[in-house]
């Protein structure tokens, strides 16, 4: 991501990561729109069957020695990595690479129910997004309406942020940017894997009680989101920088933290998402999904800087994993772009996933 103090990133934020595969000579041909709709229908049916089979076969709680924490024991994201929207959208799904304006859709009744009762609707966005370390000023966001982007990643919380001040990031900014037509992707940079590659992130290593620490930071994320006017049924994306997932002890600690964070975020009515390098954190979380682990994220945001979006063809994910409407691909990082005379250093992402819902009391703010 672009939450960084240096420019050494190769596949995410500020950590050295395994090299990306060579850039393809030409983008793969797209299926016709009607064919993609048929594929989505099959994916949705498969997701439903997978949910039934998985829930019938097993229920997992926290690992031995960890407290059960709050929330329903064994609470699991739909189909353990299938989209929370499975079966709700038959719309054409594209990478967003050729869109200059994003598409908003609302799916009723698909968000996790919070402590208050019925689940509100998720709001989906399909198109291009960017993220940058500090939330830009409102004037910059107005100027960037001339860009091909309609989504923006904002680092709204977490002790591991490289740009913690976020002077622009206020409830008024959130409401105003939303009123301009921007769709927000809230990123939380909390504690990091003990085996994180980035030296600057090692001071934020997960401690000796990863499950309870994950629950605690999940609650912190929700409180920070609420304070900005980000409503329930919004995704909160946990940013876990690239780490040595082949280190068994470190991987176990990291997964317990992530699961605890997911459980608490979900219990409080929000949608847990997970950002990481495709070759490390995403490979690890996909292995956990295949193993039937509980409390996995509902959405994945994977970094593989290959120059072109590949939402549907990421090699570390099985084709049905986090489908449909639950993937974001960060496909380019650390590039400088200018629109309306305003220049930013950004990462580029293709999105077909949930975005923030802004509280009705603040959504009417003037841009």
């Amino acid at each position: 991501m672009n939450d960084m103090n240096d420019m050494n990133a190769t596949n995410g934020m500020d950590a050295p990561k395994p090299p990306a595969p060579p850039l393809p000579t030409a983008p793969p041909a797209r299926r016709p729109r009607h064919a993609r709709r048929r594929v989505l229908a099959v994916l949705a049916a498969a997701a439903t069957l997978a949910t039934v089979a998985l829930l019938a076969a097993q229920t997992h709680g926290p690992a031995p020695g960890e407290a059960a924490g709050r929330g329903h024991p064994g609470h699991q994201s739909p189909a353990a990595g299938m989209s929370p929207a499975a079966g709700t959208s038959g719309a054409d799904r594209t990478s967003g690479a050729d869109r200059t304006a994003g598409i908003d859709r609302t799916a009723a009744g698909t968000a996790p129910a919070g402590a208050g009762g019925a689940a509100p609707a998720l709001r989906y966005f399909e198109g291009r997004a960017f993220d940058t370390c500090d939330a830009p000023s409102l004037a910059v966001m107005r100027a960037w309406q001339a860009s091909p982007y309609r989504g923006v990643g904002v680092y709204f919380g977490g002790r591991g942020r490289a740009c913690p001040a976020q002077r622009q990031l206020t409830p008024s900014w959130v409401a105003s940017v939303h009123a301009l037509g921007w769709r927000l992707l809230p990123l939380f940079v909390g504690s990091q894997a003990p085996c994180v590659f980035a030296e600057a992130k090692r001071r934020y290593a997960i401690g000796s009680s990863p499950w309870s620490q994950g629950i605690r930071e999940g609650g912190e994320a929700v409180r920070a989101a609420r304070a900005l006017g980000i409503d329930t049924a919004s995704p909160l994306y946990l940013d876990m920088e690239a780490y040595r997932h082949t280190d068994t002890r470190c991987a176990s600690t990291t997964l317990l933290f992530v699961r605890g964070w997911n459980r608490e975020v979900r219990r409080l009515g929000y949608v847990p998402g997970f950002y990481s390098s495709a070759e490390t954190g995403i490979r690890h979380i996909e292995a956990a999904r295949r193993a039937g682990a509980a409390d996995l994220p509902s959405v994945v945001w994977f970094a593989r800087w290959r120059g072109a979006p590949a939402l549907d063809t990421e090699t570390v994910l099985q084709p049905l994993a986090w489908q449909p409407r639950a993937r974001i691909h960060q496909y380019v990082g650390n590039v400088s772009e200018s629109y309306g005379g305003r220049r930013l250093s950004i990462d580029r992402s293709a999105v077909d996933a949930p975005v923030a819902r802004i509280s009705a009391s603040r959504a009417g703010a003037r841009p």
Side-chain angles (χ1 to χ4, degrees), residues 60-278:
H60 293 278
E66 289 290 343
R70 290 169 286 179
H72 177 65
H75 185 89
Q76 197 156 350
S77 59
M82 299 301 173
S83 164
T88 64
S89 174
D92 174 39
R93 173 167 154 70
T94 74
S95 67
D98 57 357
R99 295 183 183 272
T100 56
I103 297 175
D104 286 314
R105 295 188 181 88
T106 301
T110 57
L122 294 179
R123 184 165 194 169
Y124 291 90
F125 169 75
E126 182 180 358
R128 296 195 204 182
F130 75 91
D131 69 88
T132 190
C133 193
D134 253 323
S137 70
L138 193 56
V140 171
M141 296 303 292
R142 287 195 188 101
W144 272 55
Q145 288 182 292
S147 76
Y149 307 105
R150 288 298 177 269
V152 57
V154 291
Y155 295 92
F156 76 98
R159 70 190 189 108
R161 285 183 296 178
C163 297
Q166 298 291 339
R167 293 178 181 86
Q168 301 293 333
L169 191 54
T170 64
S172 176
W173 184 93
V174 167
S176 297
V177 165
H178 186 266
L180 285 171
W182 291 98
R183 298 301 169 245
L184 272 59
L185 299 161
L187 285 146
F188 183 88
V189 192
S191 295
Q192 299 291 301
C195 51
V196 64
F197 290 132
E199 186 174 352
K201 298 297 181 187
R202 290 174 189 164
R203 71 184 76 175
Y204 307 116
I206 298 163
S208 58
S209 301
W211 179 265
S212 57
Q213 187 174 353
I215 288 176
R216 184 169 63 252
E217 292 192 29
E220 177 189 336
V222 167
R223 289 190 295 275
R226 285 175 176 162
L228 288 170
I230 298 171
D231 211 348
T232 55
S234 295
L236 305 180
Y237 293 94
L238 176 63
D239 184 329
M240 188 65 66
E241 287 305 296
Y243 57 95
R244 191 169 290 103
H245 69 288
T246 54
D247 179 330
T248 305
R249 183 175 179 180
C250 177
S252 177
T253 293
T254 304
L255 183 59
L256 279 171
F257 174 86
V258 171
R259 289 176 55 212
W261 193 92
N262 292 341
R263 181 180 288 194
E264 185 67 356
V265 166
R266 190 175 278 124
R267 184 186 76 83
L268 294 172
Y270 289 74
V271 179
F274 181 74
Y275 166 87
S276 194
S277 160

Side-chain angles (χ1 to χ4, degrees), residues 286-338:
E286 167 66 349
R289 185 195 67 83
R290 295 186 193 190
D295 301 304
L296 295 183
S298 295
V299 193
V300 292
W301 188 340
F302 55 94
R304 190 186 291 281
W305 294 1
R306 60 175 63 212
L311 277 172
D312 297 320
T313 55
E314 170 50 48
T315 55
V316 305
L317 296 172
Q318 285 189 342
L320 291 178
W322 287 281
Q323 291 273 32
R325 320 240 51 204
R327 291 187 182 190
I328 304 174
H329 178 199
Q330 185 187 91
Y331 60 95
V332 172
N334 294 340
V335 294
S336 180
E337 296 186 23
S338 180

